[in-house]
Amino acid sequence: PDACELLTKNIANNHLESVTLYQFALSDQEGDATLFTGGRYPDSLTMSLFNSSGQKAGEKIKTRMISSYLQEEVDLLKLDVEGSEKDILHDLFRSKKINLIKEMIIEFHPFISKVTVEEFIESVTQNNFRCAPEMDQLHPGSTDWIIRCFRQ
């Protein structure tokens, strides 16, 4: 989508090297999905695989599993995936690729994912991480959480 085109320009404009851009969404399965957009702005940061706020249906996109791309130890995994965090972690748990990750910073969206922050943290701690959750301070009134996870 348009966001990928903008990211491509940002990579070029900032002369970034060793950056590989993939145009698909992460999920717990390979296939196709509908990407819901924020409406007026096709490259909105509120794009999601979940229609949580009456968003406009966008285009069909491919989905891939992050476990297919992790082959060596990862120092930090940062996830801001607008509701797909539960599915992505499910893939990592199921594939055991979670063991390659030392630390994670996850923006968790309980409203979109329909899972409480406590349930989400429990699933992560069961995989040998300790978590430090805090409410999103940058967006007053938000129900989102920033969860820092460290390997025990």
Side-chain angles (χ1 to χ4, degrees):
D2 295 338
C4 192
E5 184 179 323
L6 179 61
L7 185 55
T8 300
K9 289 178 186 176
N10 286 342
I11 291 168
N13 290 341
N14 289 289
H15 309 289
L16 299 177
E17 297 177 8
S18 300
V19 175
T20 304
L21 185 61
Y22 298 97
Q23 192 167 341
F24 54 77
L26 292 175
S27 183
D28 60 348
Q29 58 189 345
E30 307 269 332
D32 297 308
T34 299
L35 183 66
F36 294 92
T37 65
R40 296 185 315 187
Y41 306 103
D43 57 351
S44 167
L45 295 177
T46 60
M47 292 182 289
S48 178
L49 297 180
F50 302 93
N51 189 2
S52 61
S53 305
Q55 296 162 304
K56 181 176 92 174
E59 60 188 82
K60 294 283 185 194
I61 59 168
K62 297 286 183 196
T63 61
R64 297 289 182 260
M65 297 182 298
I66 194 171
S67 61
S68 300
Y69 296 86
L70 297 181
Q71 306 305 323
E72 57 190 51
E73 194 170 69
V74 175
D75 290 326
L76 175 66
L77 176 65
K78 167 69 168 81
L79 289 177
D80 182 1
V81 290
E82 303 303 316
S84 293
E85 32 308 312
K86 179 181 72 166
D87 292 342
I88 293 168
L89 286 180
H90 178 257
D91 167 43
L92 290 171
F93 299 154
R94 181 182 58 215
S95 67
K96 307 286 190 225
K97 294 289 179 100
I98 193 70
N99 297 322
L100 294 173
I101 300 170
K102 292 182 183 178
E103 184 177 340
M104 299 184 287
I105 300 174
I106 303 167
E107 184 174 320
F108 177 63
H109 304 83
F111 176 75
I112 299 172
S113 64
K114 308 290 191 241
V115 174
T116 68
V117 69
E118 294 82 9
E119 292 169 322
F120 183 78
I121 289 172
E122 176 64 22
S123 70
V124 177
T125 58
Q126 287 178 357
N127 285 275
N128 298 317
F129 282 89
R130 68 182 197 288
C131 298
E134 62 182 65
M135 287 292 296
D136 182 349
Q137 302 292 319
L138 294 176
H139 305 98
S142 172
T143 60
D144 298 341
W145 291 77
I146 305 300
I147 306 172
R148 289 175 175 78
C149 308
F150 307 91
R151 173 82 45 209
Q152 296 194 83

